[in-house]
Amino acid sequence: MTLLPDIAPLDRGQEGVLRALLDGKAKPLGALGRIEDLAVQLALIAGRADPPTDRALLLVFAGDHGLTESGVSAYPSAVTVAMVATLLAGRATANAFARVAGAELRVVDAGVAADLAPHPALIFAKVRKGSRNAALGPALSADEVDSALARGAAIAREAAAEGFDVLALGEMGIGNSASAALLVHRLAPAPLAACVGPGAGHDAAGLARKLAVLEQAAARTDAVAPREVLAQFGGLEIVMMAGAVLGAAAARRPVLIDGFICGAAALAAIRLVPAAADYCIWAHRSAEPGHAAMLAATDARPLLDLGLRLGEGTGSLLALPLVRAAAALLREVASLEDVLAGRL
């Protein structure tokens, strides 16, 4: 069994000092609401009152799912390869948002069911070509879960060593909302029906079929331990993202969590190492129904609520300017004392 990264909980003893620093800025007390809370979190993660946020990297983890064989998705698995190609060509929504937000984007092949050509923005970390069909048996072996966790953690640590201040997560994988629903069902926990949504665009009949397949998968096993749940129901991109959350936290980097599927990965990471929660910044509230159960299970307060359900890390990128603004509040805003004394 792979050892999980050692993650230090944030030192809340410094929070009072940071709150006092914010209260002394040239603004009314608490006037910036949750941006002040975010500033405190960033400073505690960085261990300094001027947290760096200039360099940001979006990691889009890609993988295929055996569950698609049972009709849980409105699209065929081949769309995963097509969208990875679109991301690498710089033409996906995430690429456009990354350019606007000033973030670098890399795609991680965690388990795409195809051989991908080398590309400067592609990280090859494939564990196997797609997961197995979780409706019929375990999606992954225990060794495959451990390998994906370890590779995700290593990718995040390497990004931190490269000098990235903020890591953001995204995903691409046809069928991954089905896998995420099963994970949230067991790890939150929450009723399965409350965790299942339209994903990439099911109609009512498709949604009923998806729920029936996932009920079949859930009935196979009563697994609740995080590693076993990941083996039974996980997709490789989701498990590798969970590892990336752990690796980012171990490297003391804030990690922006996108919507439902990324959130399932973060939930798994937190169940594995609870201290990882301190390093997660929940970007937005997804329109996917199961996201509400996930947020409640982690006491998470997302920054945005825009009705998003695309994935790719698009919500993470939209939240990135808020992260940078919170850090700038600490670094750049004058104190009220200096304003009144004319020391500007």
Side-chain angles (χ1 to χ4, degrees):
M1 181 181 293
T2 300
L3 291 176
L4 297 172
D6 186 22
I7 298 172
L10 297 184
D11 179 7
R12 298 289 177 181
Q14 295 302 307
E15 185 166 351
V17 174
L18 292 165
R19 293 283 181 190
L21 180 61
L22 288 167
D23 288 347
K25 297 290 185 179
K27 60 172 186 59
L29 290 178
L32 288 172
R34 291 186 53 209
I35 294 297
E36 298 187 27
D37 298 335
L38 181 55
V40 169
Q41 182 184 8
L42 292 169
L44 291 176
I45 290 171
R48 49 193 275 193
D50 57 343
T53 56
D54 287 343
R55 294 195 66 198
L57 173 66
L58 172 66
L59 293 165
V60 181
F61 291 80
D64 280 299
H65 295 258
L67 274 166
T68 58
E69 299 165 5
S70 295
V72 298
S73 176
Y75 294 93
S77 190
V79 174
T80 302
V81 177
M83 281 307 304
V84 166
T86 306
L87 285 158
L88 293 175
R91 298 296 303 277
T93 306
N95 301 103
F97 286 9
R99 286 188 285 271
V100 170
E104 187 170 330
L105 186 155
R106 295 175 189 170
V107 177
V108 180
D109 178 4
V112 177
D115 294 316
L116 302 179
H119 188 281
L122 177 65
I123 298 171
F124 183 81
K126 195 194 302 284
V127 174
R128 56 171 282 126
K129 289 183 177 180
S131 62
R132 301 170 188 86
N133 189 346
L136 305 178
L140 303 168
S141 70
D143 285 346
E144 288 162 352
V145 168
D146 282 351
S147 180
L149 287 171
R151 293 181 193 191
I155 289 167
R157 286 195 299 264
E158 288 162 8
E162 194 178 334
F164 287 101
D165 304 309
V166 179
L167 300 183
L169 300 185
E171 43 63 38
M172 181 60 230
I174 296 302
N176 61 10
S177 69
S179 174
L182 288 163
L183 295 176
V184 175
H185 163 56
R186 288 296 167 84
L187 295 177
L192 181 59
C195 300
V196 179
H202 272 305
D203 57 15
L207 188 58
R209 182 174 62 251
K210 179 178 180 179
L211 177 58
V213 171
L214 298 190
E215 287 174 338
Q216 178 184 343
R220 286 191 306 96
T221 173
D222 58 1
V224 293
R227 267 192 164 102
E228 179 61 16
V229 171
L230 288 171
Q232 291 294 334
F233 306 128
L236 287 162
E237 83 281 29
I238 297 177
V239 180
M240 207 171 286
M241 277 193 296
V245 171
L246 297 176
R252 300 193 70 88
R253 293 297 190 276
V255 56
L256 272 161
I257 309 299
D258 197 33
F260 181 57
I261 291 110
C262 283
L267 173 61
I270 291 165
R271 292 293 185 253
L272 288 166
V273 185
D278 288 349
Y279 298 83
C280 293
I281 298 171
W282 298 80
H284 74 102
R285 183 180 300 276
S286 171
E288 192 71 11
H291 204 217
M294 179 192 309
L295 295 172
T298 53
D299 293 324
R301 300 172 65 205
L303 295 174
L304 302 170
D305 188 350
L306 301 172
L308 307 178
R309 57 179 183 85
L310 173 60
E312 299 180 12
T314 48
S316 295
L317 293 168
L318 290 170
L320 179 58
L322 298 181
V323 171
R324 288 183 169 140
L329 172 62
L330 280 168
R331 289 195 311 263
E332 301 176 19
V333 176
S335 70
L336 181 59
E337 181 181 343
D338 282 348
V339 170
L340 295 177
R343 295 189 297 266
L344 297 178

